[in-house]
Amino acid sequence: MSEFYPETITCLPEADIPFDGVKGWLSQSDNHQIVFFEIEAIGGVAEHKHGTQWGTVFEGEMELSIGGITKTYKKGDSYFIPADTLHSATFVQKTWLMDFFADKNRYLPKKS
């Protein structure tokens, strides 16, 4: 259960995310995926790339580097990461955000 998201979100399948301190709930489509994230102050997420990603911060704050440009994103801020663009993030406080992934299988559901 999340202290931020309502049950309509937390009743979605939980994503199998390989980072301690990160939870996500999947809204799956045939050609994309939306993930509602709850991220503890886990520090850095290493640089990586994948398909197109668009997101918005609901609460909290993160530092996001996209293609070598680093900015701080807070409540209400949105970001766009083009396909195959290197990016990384740093979380120094608990943050809730939503990401739209053009990759329909960016994350798989967690197995029960």
Side-chain angles (χ1 to χ4, degrees):
M1 189 65 148
S2 172
E3 63 195 64
F4 180 81
Y5 291 118
E7 188 178 349
T8 28
I9 300 299
T10 60
C11 73
L12 294 170
E14 193 170 340
D16 188 10
I17 300 172
F19 299 108
D20 288 336
V22 180
K23 283 186 181 179
W25 293 271
L26 298 171
S27 180
Q28 189 66 56
S29 175
D30 290 338
N31 63 359
H32 67 272
Q33 186 175 77
I34 296 173
V35 183
F36 295 88
F37 285 102
E38 179 176 299
I39 304 171
E40 300 290 338
I42 62 168
V45 174
E47 192 172 57
H48 61 284
K49 63 182 178 176
H50 44 71
T52 302
Q53 177 180 348
W54 175 85
T56 191
V57 177
F58 294 136
E59 196 68 49
E61 180 179 315
M62 71 173 174
E63 192 173 89
L64 182 61
S65 295
I66 304 170
I69 300 170
T70 303
K71 294 182 180 178
T72 299
Y73 293 86
K74 299 178 180 182
K75 181 178 182 175
D77 291 338
S78 295
Y79 47 90
F80 177 74
I81 305 169
D84 298 319
T85 301
L86 287 172
H87 59 284
S88 61
T90 302
F91 297 91
V92 295
Q93 64 178 265
K94 193 165 187 176
T95 303
W96 293 265
L97 57 92
M98 178 199 69
D99 279 326
F100 171 99
F101 294 98
D103 299 339
K104 71 175 185 174
N105 294 316
R106 174 70 181 116
Y107 292 100
L108 297 175
K110 189 181 266 188
K111 295 185 184 197
S112 300

